[in-house]
Amino acid sequence: MVRIRARDLGLDFGMLPTGKFNAITDVPGLTVGQVSLIRKQGRLIPGQGPVRTGVTAILPHGGNLYSQKCPAAVFPFNGYGKSIGMMYIEELGICENPILITNSLSIGAVLEGGNDWVLKHNPGVGISERTPNITVFECDDGYLNDTRGRHVQKEHAWQAIATATGGQVLEGNVGAGVGMSAFAYKSGVGTCSRIVKNNFGTWTLGVLMVCNFGQRKDLLIKGIPFGRMFPVPEAPSNRNSNITIIATDAPLTYPQLKRLAKRPSLGLSRVGSISRWGSGDIDMVISNYPWIYPHAQPPIIDSAKFLDPFIEAVVDASEEACLNALFQAETMVGIDNHIREKLPVEQIITYLRSSNRLQPFG
């Protein structure tokens, strides 16, 4: 069976429509770049491999990010992690550079690549202008990848940024998701989008997620505990973490963005996330409205009627993005022949269809 996205198999994720690609790149101007590193097989030799890792880059808009900053907010739902740049966003409420995601021990190299990119495109930085604040997030892919080898280099971060494009976004075993797992199944990158309409216009909200959390017994899909229905005795749990990036072109203020940043875990709880002790569940939200509409005076609206649809969009999209990461990932063999099996989609869909839990096709 060809791997199909969750929605295309008939799963329902709320009432709001999706964008054209049902991806974070439906947000106008936003692009995503990914570099995947997959090399060697067999026994782990630290520093040599096997290698199962990568980098994912998100560029909020097509201009100069350093000089055309975006409103932003972050929220560590569970702050076990090694992320870089969160303090700056928390203090000033802005994002001024590419957002990068990689494995836990490669954040230094990815930071260097991001710095190189900013310095190349901003000759005054470090001389007449302030030094950059790069945002780097991480998950631990050590069950499949030689993390001690730190195979991600700064050149890979540069490449991910330089090749970022709009349109369809690859999911599953790509970029930062190459070595990631969820619920002891193979996981990776997942994304989706929502369209929100109100009296002030039509807006897009997109989510991109790197899923790397959960024990097999936790997995829920549409309320069914599939993790307990399809147990595998030899399926060690992965090192917990989950990174969620939310983007929109709506004119949201910092307090509104902060409120959205607190919502992804509500969607993830629908699939069984309980945010265990060592889980780095980090969420970031940006608005590129100032770049999309540079001459507009953004309305400042603080009402339930205005913000509630965006909250709904974040919660529904977080559930869908996580399941897309699982549904799109393929079985992978990593270090010491560790195996992460793909989600048994055929069995799950058969069960959901027989219990009338799927929407009709078309």
Side-chain angles (χ1 to χ4, degrees), residues 44-51 144-151 335:
L44 169 64
I45 303 176
Q48 298 184 35
V51 180
L144 295 173
N145 176 53
D146 169 25
T147 53
R148 287 181 64 92
R150 291 176 287 177
H151 298 279
I335 61 171

Side-chain angles (χ1 to χ4, degrees), residues 1 67 131 206 208 242 247 257 264 281 316 337 339:
M1 180 178 178
S67 61
T131 53
L208 185 141
N242 194 80
L257 294 173
D281 298 337
D316 290 345
N337 294 313
I339 300 174

Side-chain angles (χ1 to χ4, degrees), residues 33-346:
Q34 305 197 82
V35 172
S36 305
L37 303 177
I38 303 174
R39 299 194 296 266
K40 298 187 177 180
Q41 298 180 5
R43 182 169 63 91
L44 169 64
I45 303 176
Q48 298 184 35
V51 180
R52 305 287 187 271
T53 193
V55 185
T56 296
I58 301 168
L59 280 65
H61 61 68
N64 186 313
L65 291 165
Y66 180 80
S67 61
Q68 297 170 294
K69 308 178 194 303
C70 288
V74 291
F75 181 67
F77 183 83
N78 198 63
Y80 191 103
K82 306 159 187 68
S83 302
I84 296 173
M86 291 177 61
M87 181 170 63
Y88 178 81
I89 299 170
E90 182 69 20
E91 182 70 18
L92 298 182
I94 57 175
C95 171
E96 63 177 19
N97 287 302
I99 303 162
L100 301 163
I101 311 172
T102 189
N103 75 68
S104 300
L105 293 186
S106 294
I107 56 174
V110 169
L111 173 65
E112 285 298 307
N115 277 329
D116 285 352
W117 176 267
V118 176
L119 295 175
K120 170 71 174 180
H121 294 87
N122 298 274
V125 167
I127 302 173
S128 59
E129 301 177 58
R130 291 184 179 274
T131 53
N133 289 276
I134 309 297
T135 305
V136 186
F137 298 105
E138 54 79 28
C139 295
D140 186 350
D141 57 14
Y143 185 72
L144 295 173
N145 176 53
D146 169 25
T147 53
R148 287 181 64 92
R150 291 176 287 177
H151 298 279
V152 174
Q153 301 297 310
K154 65 179 183 178
E155 292 81 9
H156 299 128
W158 179 290
Q159 182 182 352
I161 298 169
T163 58
T165 60
Q168 293 182 335
V169 176
L170 293 178
E171 296 172 295
N173 303 358
V174 293
V178 166
M180 304 303 175
S181 312
F183 307 106
Y185 284 114
K186 187 65 188 72
S187 179
V189 172
T191 187
C192 62
S193 67
R194 294 293 185 273
I195 304 298
V196 175
K197 295 183 180 181
N198 56 33
N199 292 336
F200 298 93
T202 299
W203 316 102
T204 304
L205 182 141
V207 168
L208 185 141
M209 188 177 291
V210 176
C211 300
N212 193 59
F213 67 94
Q215 296 182 10
R216 176 64 60 86
K217 65 181 182 180
D218 299 334
L219 176 62
L220 299 170
I221 300 178
K222 294 305 162 187
I224 306 298
F226 285 109
R228 301 173 205 172
M229 294 171 62
F230 306 133
V232 178
E234 298 180 3
S237 297
N238 43 278
R239 295 90 187 274
N240 294 317
S241 277
N242 194 80
I243 304 300
T244 304
I245 308 299
I246 304 159
T248 183
D249 61 344
L252 301 182
T253 63
Y254 172 77
Q256 291 170 329
L257 294 173
K258 187 71 171 183
R259 296 183 73 186
L260 294 187
K262 297 177 179 180
R263 298 319 197 262
S265 290
L266 295 176
L268 289 171
S269 69
R270 297 175 180 174
V271 299
S273 171
I274 64 171
S275 194
R276 284 185 165 82
W277 179 86
S279 191
D281 298 337
I282 314 297
D283 310 315
M284 178 176 177
V285 187
I286 64 99
S287 167
N288 64 11
Y289 179 92
W291 183 79
I292 299 293
Y293 307 100
H295 304 297
Q297 182 64 37
I300 299 177
I301 312 101
D302 188 12
S303 68
K305 186 176 181 180
F306 179 74
L307 194 60
D308 276 357
F310 292 99
I311 293 174
E312 178 184 349
V314 170
V315 175
D316 290 345
S318 296
E319 178 189 12
E320 182 174 3
C322 180
L323 289 182
N324 277 339
L326 283 161
F327 276 59
Q328 289 284 284
E330 294 282 0
T331 297
M332 178 170 282
V333 181
I335 61 171
D336 292 330
N337 294 313
H338 289 171
I339 300 174
R340 281 297 193 213
E341 298 285 349
K342 65 182 180 181
L343 191 73
V345 174
E346 298 90 339

